[in-house]
């Protein structure tokens, strides 16, 4: 396949464009409905219920069907493999988690606003002096949301294997709240090769390709046993143990 072919946008049929329009309309309506309730809930200190409802509904509108195996440990740091943008609504549905994201996402105002509603922690890996502030943000997010998810691969894979887990991404997470568990999570898509966002495909093309899909997207989320003992010695042992646990479960 030539590079021009590899970069070509997906060919979407008229029915696919109709699905894209219909799903985008539903997503916009969900945002309009959930946003005022979110601010009302936050004003009275009632928690993050509405961001979870919104994200779970976005996944359902996109055609996501989820099977959950195991249970998330409350207050855990979840370390999951990363395949698609659908991972975020899926994990929010399954655990109500907040997320750790690279601070590059905060450059997009709308995306930053949506992330902040779900108490996303933005990590600036290139500014070492900000680690102390990031640690405080992580602790606050885990105390408020119950779970916090990080994708240690640092990018998306094709879903058939794992990229190396980067222990550097865990630098701001070493001082997690006392007693907080670290729990590996496997995200296993039934048709991963057609879902994954990899290679040179632009993000918008991947988004359109998913929304134009007629077939349901089936995903199994498997919450694995939390790490323990020597696995928790430092960020390098945590990254290695989580990667091995997910690899064994694939």
């Amino acid at each position: 396949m030539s590079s021009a072919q590899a970069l070509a946008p997906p060919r979407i049929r008229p029915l696919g464009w109709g699905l894209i329009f219909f799903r985008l309309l539903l997503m916009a309506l969900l945002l309009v409905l959930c946003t005022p309730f979110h601010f009302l809930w936050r004003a009275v200190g009632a928690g993050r219920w509405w961001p979870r409802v919104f994200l779970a509904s976005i996944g359902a509108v996109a055609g996501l069907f989820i099977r959950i195996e195991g249970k998330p440990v409350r207050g855990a740091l979840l370390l999951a493999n990363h395949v698609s943008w659908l991972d975020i609504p899926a994990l929010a549905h399954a655990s109500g988690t907040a997320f750790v994201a690279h601070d590059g996402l905060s450059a997009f105002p709308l995306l930053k606003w949506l992330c902040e509603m779900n108490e996303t922690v933005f990590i600036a890996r290139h500014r070492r002096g900000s680690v102390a502030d990031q640690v405080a943000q992580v602790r606050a997010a885990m105390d408020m949301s119950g779970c916090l998810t990080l994708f240690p691969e640092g990018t998306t894979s094709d879903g058939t294997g794992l990229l190396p887990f980067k222990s550097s991404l865990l630098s701001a997470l070493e001082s997690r709240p006392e007693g907080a568990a670290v729990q590996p999570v496997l995200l296993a898509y039934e048709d991963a090769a057609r879902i994954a966002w990899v290679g040179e495909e632009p993000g918008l093309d991947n988004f359109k390709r998913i929304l134009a899909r007629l077939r349901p997207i089936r995903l199994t989320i498997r919450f694995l046993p939390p790490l323990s003992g020597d696995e928790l010695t430092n960020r390098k042992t945590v990254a290695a143990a989580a990667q091995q646990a997910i690899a064994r479960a694939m």
Side-chain angles (χ1 to χ4, degrees), residues 131-144:
V131 169
D133 291 338
Q134 293 169 11
V135 168
Q137 293 175 41
V138 166
R139 293 176 66 91
M142 293 183 72
D143 288 340
M144 293 176 65

Side-chain angles (χ1 to χ4, degrees), residues 33-204:
L33 289 172
C34 291
T35 298
F37 285 107
H38 162 69
F39 286 114
L40 176 61
W41 253 239
R42 191 170 69 174
V44 299
R48 289 187 321 102
W49 172 253
W50 287 101
R52 181 177 184 176
V53 170
F54 172 71
L55 287 170
S57 300
I58 289 295
V61 168
L64 193 58
F65 286 77
I66 302 171
R67 184 177 71 174
I68 301 172
E69 298 180 0
K71 293 182 178 180
V73 175
R74 178 159 182 80
L77 170 63
L78 306 179
L79 301 180
N81 61 309
H82 198 12
V83 180
S84 168
W85 59 271
L86 289 169
D87 301 346
I88 293 171
L91 282 168
H93 165 78
S95 65
T97 183
F99 294 88
V100 176
H102 188 272
D103 68 339
L105 292 177
S106 64
F108 303 94
L110 177 59
L111 186 56
K112 179 183 179 182
W113 178 64
L114 291 172
C115 289
E116 287 178 340
M117 284 203 298
N118 197 51
E119 295 168 5
T120 296
V121 177
F122 293 106
I123 296 294
R125 297 196 295 268
H126 58 286
R127 296 201 303 269
R128 302 300 300 170
S130 64
V131 169
D133 291 338
Q134 293 169 11
V135 168
Q137 293 175 41
V138 166
R139 293 176 66 91
M142 293 183 72
D143 288 340
M144 293 176 65
S145 67
C147 288
L148 186 66
T149 296
L150 181 138
F151 300 108
E153 292 167 295
T155 187
T156 50
S157 71
D158 64 5
T160 62
L162 294 175
L163 300 174
F165 279 21
K166 300 176 180 178
S167 62
S168 61
L169 297 179
L170 301 173
S171 59
L173 308 177
E174 287 188 299
S175 298
R176 62 188 183 279
E178 183 177 355
V182 179
Q183 187 173 19
V185 183
L186 170 64
L187 302 176
Y189 287 88
E190 185 178 272
D191 196 11
R194 296 183 180 274
I195 301 303
W197 177 22
V198 293
E200 300 297 327
E201 182 183 24
L204 181 58

